[in-house]
Amino acid sequence: MVENSNRPNSPVTYQDAGVDIDAGNALVGAIKPLVKATRRSGADGDLGGFGGLFDLKAAGFDDPILVAANDGVGTKLKIAIETGQHKTIGIDLVAMCVNDLIVQGAEPLFFLDYFACEKLDTTTAADVVAGIAEGCRLAGCALIGGETAEMPGMYAPGDYDLAGFSVGAAERGQLLPRDDVKPGDIVLGLPSTGVHSNGYSLVRKLVENEKLSWEDEAPFNREKTVAEAFLEPTKIYVKPLLEAIRETGQIKALAHITGGGLTENIPRVLNRDVTVQIDLASWSAPRVFDWLKSISRLETSEFARTFNAGIGMVAVVPATAGDDVIQTLERAGQQAIAIGSVAERTGDEEQVQLMGSLRFS
């Protein structure tokens, strides 16, 4: 056997290769109280097992259909990483999944996260998980597990990535969208808190073009820095919408306004023989959209295809039930605005027709 004189005499450990098992264990210990705070009926297991458990019967379901969703937060994550502001990005991660579940009439039950990085910084990871736990609390779902992966060589130092997975349930026969959306129905818009989690590759390009730093005062909001304004977390609509679905029984369809905006998300919940006419002047969009539209110089149609334009969720309801649904949502703390109506579709016309001009607050 030929010996290699350059070979070290001491053992080469996993930590020498860039993976710190002790740091991972420390993170699990740090986040256990956060996870415990998200417990709900059906989820009583402890963190650290090989799989998360959920009891549908204990959650009160008789004949449930399960609905699953997964998502990330896109390049909004780069702003959190570049500025060291990690405490709310987890809310975005949860929101992008649970808002997709409620669109199908499903109550979010539990959530799992995936956190991957070059080298684990327990403070950063704990901040991210704290945001995830807060998002789960806002959505009423349990954080029942996740995975943390240290992968030196896969990510640049300081970088990390996130993915979220959520499962919800609805009783058989109560899923959305319903198949009775018809001309004469009205469209309600639920305002967004800002840009949410889509269009951030363009946001970052525009901030760069304007020679702004993330620490500068936001041109559209003097009370926040650019980073703080664009890290405003995605609104979670679950609890008020669940209340409206169950109390009124009048919500026919919901559309989460994410990538593709109003024009590409609303058709996903419509049958092919109807179109939706949206009055852009019926709501006042946050000023961030005025700034984005001005410096991007995008036509309204392209702008509404890139950003949510101030509407984060859309509901289709019968005209006779509009006031009831609006009032139910408002009692639950969620504003809703009549922004359009359903009409008969003629030929191959677009299923979303934008009318009027955007207004800004």
Side-chain angles (χ1 to χ4, degrees), residues 8 10-17:
S10 58
V12 181
T13 67
Y14 209 7
Q15 188 167 7
D16 292 329

Side-chain angles (χ1 to χ4, degrees), residues 228-274:
E228 288 169 343
F230 281 115
L231 286 173
E232 182 71 30
T234 305
K235 174 79 172 179
I236 293 177
Y237 299 98
V238 169
K239 289 184 177 179
L241 281 173
L242 272 177
E243 195 164 326
I245 289 169
R246 291 168 176 172
E247 283 194 20
T248 70
Q250 297 295 326
I251 293 181
K252 293 185 175 185
L254 294 167
H256 185 198
I257 308 305
T258 54
L262 293 163
T263 55
E264 294 191 6
N265 284 290
I266 296 176
R268 296 168 67 182
V269 298
L270 300 177
N271 50 57
R272 296 182 62 82
D273 59 353
V274 298

Side-chain angles (χ1 to χ4, degrees), residues 85-339:
Q85 299 180 42
H86 310 285
K87 292 186 176 180
T88 61
I89 201 72
I91 298 175
D92 290 284
L93 184 67
V94 175
M96 295 303 289
C97 295
V98 298
N99 284 344
D100 281 355
L101 295 181
I102 191 61
V103 158
Q104 299 205 240
E107 174 187 349
L109 303 175
F110 58 84
F111 188 88
L112 300 99
D113 68 275
Y114 177 75
F115 179 100
C117 59
E118 185 265 345
K119 182 175 179 57
L120 183 60
D121 181 307
T122 54
T123 300
T124 295
D127 282 348
V128 172
V129 176
I132 293 170
E134 174 62 10
C136 288
R137 186 190 67 79
L138 292 170
C141 66
L143 178 56
I144 66 171
E147 172 70 10
T148 301
E150 247 184 331
M151 295 189 286
M154 286 287 289
Y155 295 93
D159 275 358
Y160 65 88
D161 199 8
L162 292 175
F165 310 84
S166 192
V167 172
E171 294 290 358
R172 192 178 303 274
Q174 296 181 11
L175 290 169
L176 298 177
R178 287 164 32 181
D179 60 6
D180 60 343
V181 173
K182 62 183 181 181
D185 290 340
I186 63 171
V187 179
L188 305 180
L190 281 58
S192 68
T193 50
V195 185
H196 284 185
S197 296
N198 298 100
Y200 273 82
S201 294
L202 178 56
V203 165
R204 291 168 53 244
K205 180 66 174 176
L206 294 174
V207 168
E208 178 185 349
N209 288 350
E210 292 297 300
K211 298 183 174 12
L212 291 170
S213 78
W214 296 119
E215 291 74 31
D216 287 342
E217 178 185 281
F220 47 86
N221 186 340
R222 293 183 177 180
E223 296 180 358
K224 293 185 177 183
T225 66
V226 177
E228 288 169 343
F230 281 115
L231 286 173
E232 182 71 30
T234 305
K235 174 79 172 179
I236 293 177
Y237 299 98
V238 169
K239 289 184 177 179
L241 281 173
L242 272 177
E243 195 164 326
I245 289 169
R246 291 168 176 172
E247 283 194 20
T248 70
Q250 297 295 326
I251 293 181
K252 293 185 175 185
L254 294 167
H256 185 198
I257 308 305
T258 54
L262 293 163
T263 55
E264 294 191 6
N265 284 290
I266 296 176
R268 296 168 67 182
V269 298
L270 300 177
N271 50 57
R272 296 182 62 82
D273 59 353
V274 298
T275 187
V276 163
Q277 298 170 341
I278 300 292
D279 179 6
L280 295 173
S282 59
W283 72 90
S284 183
R287 287 186 60 208
V288 61
F289 293 110
D290 188 13
W291 184 78
L292 288 169
K293 192 171 190 305
S294 174
I295 64 172
S296 69
R297 299 181 296 280
L298 289 175
E299 295 292 333
T300 297
S301 58
E302 184 64 18
F303 186 80
R305 186 170 170 253
T306 305
F307 299 108
N308 66 57
I311 297 295
M313 183 74 72
V314 161
V316 180
V317 304
T320 55
D323 289 343
D324 188 19
V325 174
I326 289 173
Q327 290 168 13
T328 302
L329 287 168
E330 289 181 344
R331 285 196 300 270
Q334 175 60 60
Q335 182 189 12
I337 307 159
I339 64 169

